[in-house]
Amino acid sequence: MNTYASLSEQIQIMENFDIFKVQGRDKRGRKILRIVGKFFPSRIAGSEALKKYLEEKIFPQLEGRPFSVVYVHTNVQRSENFPGISTLRSIYEAIPINVKENLEAVYFVHPGLQSRLFLATFGRFLFTGGLYGKLKYVSRLEFLWEHVRRNDIEIPEFVWDHDEELEYRPMMDYGLESDHPRVYGAPTVNSPVSVYSMRCIS
């Protein structure tokens, strides 16, 4: 059973980990909410803290205009940093209507076989308001740039590394080959470290 810190401490942890960030625009001019799943501290922060953090820090930046979400699923492990489907659904249902109605696209980066199968089977039942229909799988970063302005969004270094592995070992996409996950450093709570790359590939 998880033992969480105080609500204010949990919110501070989320801010330090830089899980959510509103930055740049996609190629249709919409604001982007970038979410890095690997950074989610599911063992030390709960759904109430997540809802409050989004309500205070993120949603005010998205009100009134269309936006898209870039969700980076790279290296998300169920036991380490995945908050759970029920938590994700409750958070989605709690999004204010004036924000939710402006969400036009969700780009799901590095989805993997299990998440594809799960969402294909249960996605329409778990998420109301047509969210499933807005979901677009992005198996490689090169396909993300068809929708998002490359220089407008920060991509963590480990995501680039994983993308390069997939390029040379495509069967990893379909669960036919192990990815032999490497250990990547995540930012600490007290002293966040920049792990982003603004690579520009011509």
Side-chain angles (χ1 to χ4, degrees):
M1 182 176 181
N2 292 327
T3 302
Y4 298 135
S6 69
L7 190 62
S8 60
E9 288 173 329
Q10 292 178 55
I11 292 171
Q12 186 60 53
I13 287 169
M14 290 187 186
E15 189 154 11
N16 289 345
F17 273 47
D18 205 22
I19 309 160
F20 304 92
K21 192 167 189 176
V22 178
Q23 60 175 185
R25 298 183 183 276
D26 65 16
K27 290 190 174 179
R28 296 184 62 181
R30 300 173 296 203
K31 283 185 176 182
I32 297 171
L33 169 58
R34 188 216 61 189
I35 305 172
V36 181
K38 177 181 168 64
F39 291 164
F40 187 79
S42 60
R43 290 187 171 185
I44 54 178
S47 60
E48 288 307 311
L50 177 54
K51 289 179 184 179
K52 191 166 182 60
Y53 173 76
L54 292 171
E55 179 184 321
E56 294 179 354
K57 306 289 186 179
I58 301 299
F59 294 155
Q61 301 181 61
L62 299 172
E63 290 178 350
R65 298 194 64 181
F67 71 98
S68 60
V69 169
V70 172
Y71 169 65
V72 182
H73 191 65
T74 317
N75 289 355
V76 170
Q77 302 293 328
R78 181 173 297 276
S79 61
E80 296 293 329
N81 44 28
F82 183 61
I85 291 295
S86 60
T87 297
L88 293 178
R89 181 183 181 184
S90 69
I91 291 166
Y92 177 70
E93 296 299 330
I95 297 174
I97 188 64
N98 62 329
V99 174
K100 189 184 297 184
E101 66 187 6
N102 287 318
L103 172 57
E104 295 189 349
V106 178
Y107 302 105
F108 194 127
V109 180
H110 294 157
L113 179 63
Q114 289 186 335
S115 53
R116 285 176 186 260
L117 289 175
F118 183 87
L119 289 171
T121 306
F122 299 107
R124 292 178 179 84
F125 304 104
L126 288 172
F127 299 104
T128 60
L131 177 64
Y132 181 77
K134 301 172 184 178
L135 186 65
K136 304 178 189 299
Y137 293 122
V138 181
S139 58
R140 299 286 192 283
L141 289 174
E142 65 179 291
F143 302 126
L144 181 63
W145 310 140
E146 296 174 5
H147 307 283
V148 173
R149 298 169 183 172
R150 186 198 311 257
N151 294 336
D152 275 13
I153 186 170
E154 296 170 328
I155 299 295
E157 192 70 30
F158 73 86
V159 180
W160 290 99
D161 290 343
H162 184 73
D163 204 71
E164 289 176 8
E165 282 195 71
L166 291 176
E167 189 67 31
Y168 292 102
R169 300 165 61 189
M171 290 301 99
M172 287 167 53
D173 272 339
Y174 305 100
L176 300 178
E177 181 182 355
S178 170
D179 60 357
H180 303 292
R182 290 175 283 176
V183 178
Y184 296 93
T188 62
V189 174
N190 294 324
S191 56
V193 178
S194 175
V195 294
Y196 299 113
S197 169
M198 291 297 287
R199 295 184 188 180
C200 297
I201 303 173
S202 58

